[in-house]
Amino acid sequence: MKNKKLMRAMMLAMLLLASLSAAAQYVVCTGNHVRLRTGPSTGYPMLVWTSTGKPVWINKGQTLTYLGDANGFYNVLFDGKSVYISKQFARLAGTNNYSGGNSGSTVVVSGTNVRLRWGPSLNASIYTNGNGRPIYPSKGTRLTYLGQSGNWYKVRYNGNVLYISKDFSYVR
């Protein structure tokens, strides 16, 4: 019993230190209605509101304090609890990925019908085939990471240097 209380106190102290750190990092949710889990896999239960028993959902743009990485999930602080969010639906604020986008990284397409562009802007021309139809890489396609500009990753696809929105992709 004493060990459980000591472990709980130590965990709360670590969480408090992480949340108070001046250099604290944040995870930004990149999807809508994203579930939080009690552990680092979909095998763990979803976090639920104690008052209603309904699942906790977070939305695009919501930030959470980053605590660490585990098994394709970010460990984050939510409502004073250590929980997990899939990296598929989140990114580290300021770095836009957990690896920092080092050379050798790949950008994974996380949406469907995602347009690639010739520049880092919605005003840039869309990458098309010879008939002028957009070419959409399939969800899960891995593109070579070349850098980033604002909310865009610079990637290599079919031998071309193109840009993809960070809203529909992540670095692995």
Side-chain angles (χ1 to χ4, degrees):
M1 187 68 154
K2 285 184 182 183
N3 285 341
K4 259 188 175 175
K5 285 183 179 180
L6 179 60
M7 288 297 288
R8 188 173 288 153
M10 287 174 53
M11 178 66 119
L12 286 173
M14 288 184 348
L15 292 174
L16 181 60
L17 285 174
S19 66
L20 294 176
S21 169
Q25 287 185 298
Y26 297 92
V27 171
V28 179
C29 181
T30 59
N32 285 315
H33 300 295
V34 175
R35 299 174 186 146
L36 297 175
R37 301 270 177 183
T38 60
S41 83
T42 56
Y44 283 88
M46 290 182 292
L47 183 65
V48 296
W49 296 108
T50 52
S51 60
T52 64
K54 293 185 179 186
V56 172
W57 302 89
I58 61 170
N59 289 309
K60 187 175 185 175
Q62 186 168 346
T63 59
L64 305 161
T65 301
Y66 171 80
L67 300 175
D69 294 79
N71 194 31
F73 282 73
Y74 290 117
N75 182 205
V76 296
L77 190 62
F78 178 81
D79 199 28
K81 296 178 180 118
S82 171
V83 296
Y84 296 83
I85 184 171
S86 172
K87 289 182 179 180
Q88 184 176 0
F89 305 109
R91 64 178 172 79
L92 279 176
T95 62
N96 299 306
N97 58 74
Y98 72 94
S99 68
N102 299 324
S103 90
S105 297
T106 57
V107 174
V108 180
V109 178
S110 62
T112 55
N113 295 329
V114 177
R115 296 180 180 118
L116 299 173
R117 297 188 180 266
W118 290 99
S121 164
L122 289 174
N123 295 324
S125 297
I126 296 169
Y127 178 61
T128 60
N129 63 19
N131 296 326
R133 291 193 176 107
I135 296 174
Y136 303 111
S138 302
K139 184 175 182 177
T141 298
R142 293 178 178 266
L143 312 169
T144 303
Y145 173 88
L146 300 175
Q148 52 190 317
S149 177
N151 196 43
W152 298 84
Y153 291 121
K154 183 177 181 179
V155 297
R156 183 172 310 283
Y157 182 72
N158 288 342
N160 297 293
V161 175
L162 302 165
Y163 292 83
I164 185 170
S165 172
K166 291 178 184 177
D167 294 335
F168 306 106
S169 60
Y170 60 95
V171 172
R172 178 66 72 198

